[in-house]
Amino acid sequence: ELFRPINSYYDFENIKMVPEGDLITRNLSDMDWMYQDQEAVQELLKEDPQIYRYYNVDIPEEEGHLQHCISIINPGKVGNEYNMTKGHFHEIKGTAEIYYTIQGEGMLFMQSVTDGEPEFEALEMKKGTLSYVPPYWAHRTINTGEEPLAFIGIYPGEAGHVYGEIEAKGFMKLLIEKDGEPTIIDNPNYK
Ligand code: 6PG
Ligand code: NI
């Protein structure tokens, strides 16, 4: 069946996509074990703040299509660690992704998922940044700023998502605030 052309629109004032499409929200309780400072986690869980949300445009998950979505990470920290996404790699590891930052500032953490030793890369994100996540790189985004970090993601329809591995092992690096600056450190709990 022929898929019809469609528009989506980012409403900067209300920080949301219109139409909303498939809205997925992640509160702290959805990823509480992923942060280092478990005392800070317990304190924040009383309110269970929303860490991020993303609006998926409803596109067939098929080869030839381009999935696209807008992700918004709220500003904030858990202890000294900045708000971040859970992170994933694509089920079809050889599929890339493009991120276009439209608001805020942050970092894009990537970790290779080939058969060899994992390698790490980080890129800065700020309004106007077009970031390329090549095939075979897991990706996580982190808000280091005072306002929401919003970016568009575009990736192949068939890509799929794998979360379990990063849920269990974490990323090899963490982004914390140190002396008022975002600082990349080794993750002491990386397995
Ligand atoms: C994707 C994109 C992006 C991502 C969100 C939320 O492949 O769909 O990378 O839309 O899903 O930014 O991040 P998590 O999927 O890691 O929760
Ligand atoms: Ni992705």
Side-chain angles (χ1 to χ4, degrees):
E1 205 189 309
L2 187 63
F3 193 85
R4 314 299 309 185
I6 46 165
N7 264 346
S8 304
Y9 172 78
Y10 184 65
D11 178 348
F12 280 92
E13 205 162 313
N14 297 301
I15 316 174
K16 60 187 234 174
M17 192 165 81
V18 186
E20 284 200 350
D22 183 16
L23 170 61
I24 293 156
T25 44
R26 297 277 182 238
N27 286 29
L28 181 58
S29 57
D30 296 312
M31 55 185 305
D32 51 7
W33 71 96
M34 294 184 135
Y35 289 95
Q36 295 304 297
D37 186 342
Q38 283 299 313
E39 252 174 67
V41 166
Q42 288 315 315
E43 190 56 34
L44 284 168
L45 277 178
K46 294 174 187 162
E47 304 276 335
D48 195 15
Q50 182 189 95
I51 305 289
Y52 66 101
R53 60 187 178 279
Y54 54 109
Y55 299 88
N56 276 324
V57 180
D58 197 10
I59 305 288
E61 291 180 35
E62 291 167 10
E63 218 176 304
H65 279 283
L66 290 173
Q67 297 287 340
H68 52 284
C69 54
I70 292 182
S71 305
I72 298 144
I73 308 177
N74 292 318
K77 281 177 296 179
V78 178
N80 60 7
E81 208 175 343
Y82 297 97
N83 284 1
M84 62 185 179
T85 60
K86 292 179 78 171
H88 64 269
F89 53 85
H90 293 157
E91 201 174 323
I92 300 184
K93 290 180 178 168
T95 55
E97 181 152 357
I98 292 223
Y99 279 167
Y100 183 59
T101 307
I102 54 179
Q103 187 173 26
E105 53 192 272
M107 287 212 100
L108 168 55
F109 270 20
M110 285 161 288
Q111 186 168 308
S112 63
V113 287
T114 58
D115 292 336
E117 279 294 299
E119 294 185 51
F120 177 82
E121 288 277 348
L123 292 173
E124 276 182 42
M125 299 171 79
K126 61 181 185 192
K127 184 179 175 180
T129 306
L130 183 63
S131 307
Y132 183 50
V133 181
Y136 300 98
W137 288 88
H139 36 288
R140 161 180 284 169
T141 44
I142 306 161
N143 185 347
T144 57
E146 308 276 300
E147 58 168 337
L149 171 66
F151 57 92
I152 300 167
I154 306 169
Y155 56 100
E158 75 277 18
H161 297 83
V162 178
Y163 289 96
E165 212 159 300
I166 291 166
E167 282 177 344
K169 297 183 178 181
F171 256 72
M172 52 204 286
K173 304 281 182 180
L174 303 177
L175 191 61
I176 62 164
E177 186 182 74
K178 205 180 166 205
D179 305 323
E181 290 295 318
T183 307
I184 299 174
I185 60 163
D186 286 333
N187 178 359
N189 298 323
Y190 180 65
K191 300 185 190 94

